[in-house]
Amino acid sequence: MSNVAKPRNPEDDWKIWLVVNPATWLMPIFYALLVLAIAVHAVVFSVGLGWQ
């Protein structure tokens, strides 16, 4: 059995930053989100659901 306490979300959500260093990973995460948002918009506009 593991002695690791089960997380109480959302109270323990901040602990992810103890593992993922924001100084290293915050901007790459933002750039990945930007690419994802642009891809979603490109698909939506190519399907014809954009502005008319």
Side-chain angles (χ1 to χ4, degrees):
M1 290 288 231
S2 175
N3 289 336
V4 177
K6 185 174 178 173
R8 294 186 337 254
N9 290 319
E11 293 89 8
D12 290 337
D13 283 350
W14 63 271
K15 291 181 182 175
I16 188 64
W17 298 115
L18 298 176
V19 179
V20 178
N21 183 4
T24 304
W25 291 106
L26 193 61
M27 288 313 293
I29 289 170
F30 283 158
Y31 289 138
L33 288 175
L34 176 65
V35 169
L36 178 64
I38 291 172
V40 167
H41 279 80
V43 169
V44 167
F45 276 94
S46 70
V47 171
L49 298 175
W51 297 296
Q52 299 297 327

